[in-house]
Amino acid sequence: MGMNVGSSNGDEDQINSSINTTPLVDVMLVLLIIFLITIPVVTTSIKLDLPKEEVQVRISKPENIVISVNADSKMFMYDTPIRDIRDLTDRLKLVAKMDPQPEVHIRGDLSANYDGVGRVIFACRSAGISKIAFLTEPAARE
């Protein structure tokens, strides 16, 4: 292995003043790509804590209470219509005293207003129900 330390006659060669720009261009392209990817993420102005979707298989037990809310925001406990929110709260207070306390499963129609489902959640909390779940249908597979 050899090393070039200069000419043997003492004359210096001309200085190479050209710059190899290939590494500079490579670094600049990498930085450009990084900025193009991160800028749309950073520019959102509203900070939200978005829910994380998680698929859990729930086993429906006979002691679970199923409350349905149809498209007209009418409430049903199993197949029995519920008159108003007080009636639902009174029925849920009886259920809340059971040991162990059963879960309340809410089935909300896709076109129902949030108001109907919200009233059911409020009634569950007012009655002291600690476990509430939402029943959905799995997405269609393509």
Side-chain angles (χ1 to χ4, degrees):
M1 182 176 344
M3 188 165 105
N4 188 4
V5 290
S7 63
S8 60
N9 61 3
D11 294 332
E12 289 292 322
D13 293 336
Q14 286 184 333
I15 297 175
N16 185 2
S17 63
S18 65
I19 298 175
N20 186 3
T21 59
T22 304
L24 178 65
V25 171
D26 290 344
V27 169
M28 294 306 289
L29 284 175
V30 168
L31 288 175
L32 178 67
I33 291 170
I34 290 172
F35 286 132
L36 287 176
I37 292 172
T38 58
I39 284 177
V41 175
V42 175
T43 57
T44 54
S45 61
I46 300 173
K47 298 289 183 191
L48 296 176
D49 188 18
L50 297 176
K52 311 295 186 264
E53 184 175 335
E54 188 174 308
V55 177
Q56 293 181 353
V57 178
R58 307 284 299 183
I59 299 172
S60 182
K61 299 176 185 173
E63 62 267 11
N64 290 343
I65 308 300
V66 179
I67 299 175
S68 303
V69 179
N70 68 5
D72 298 328
S73 295
K74 292 181 183 173
M75 298 173 288
F76 299 88
M77 182 179 282
Y78 298 110
D79 293 332
T80 307
I82 304 294
R83 288 188 316 246
D84 58 2
I85 199 70
R86 278 195 199 137
D87 183 26
L88 179 63
T89 305
D90 292 341
R91 291 180 186 211
L92 289 174
K93 283 182 181 178
L94 297 175
V95 171
K97 294 176 184 176
M98 295 180 180
D99 188 33
Q101 190 181 68
E103 292 182 13
V104 172
H105 292 180
I106 301 173
R107 297 177 61 233
D109 191 281
L110 183 63
S111 58
N113 292 331
Y114 286 115
D115 182 49
V117 176
R119 287 185 291 153
V120 172
I121 294 171
F122 176 76
C124 290
R125 290 296 175 194
S126 298
I129 300 291
S130 60
K131 295 181 182 178
I132 302 173
F134 293 96
L135 299 181
T136 60
E137 292 181 2
R141 293 188 181 219
E142 295 178 15

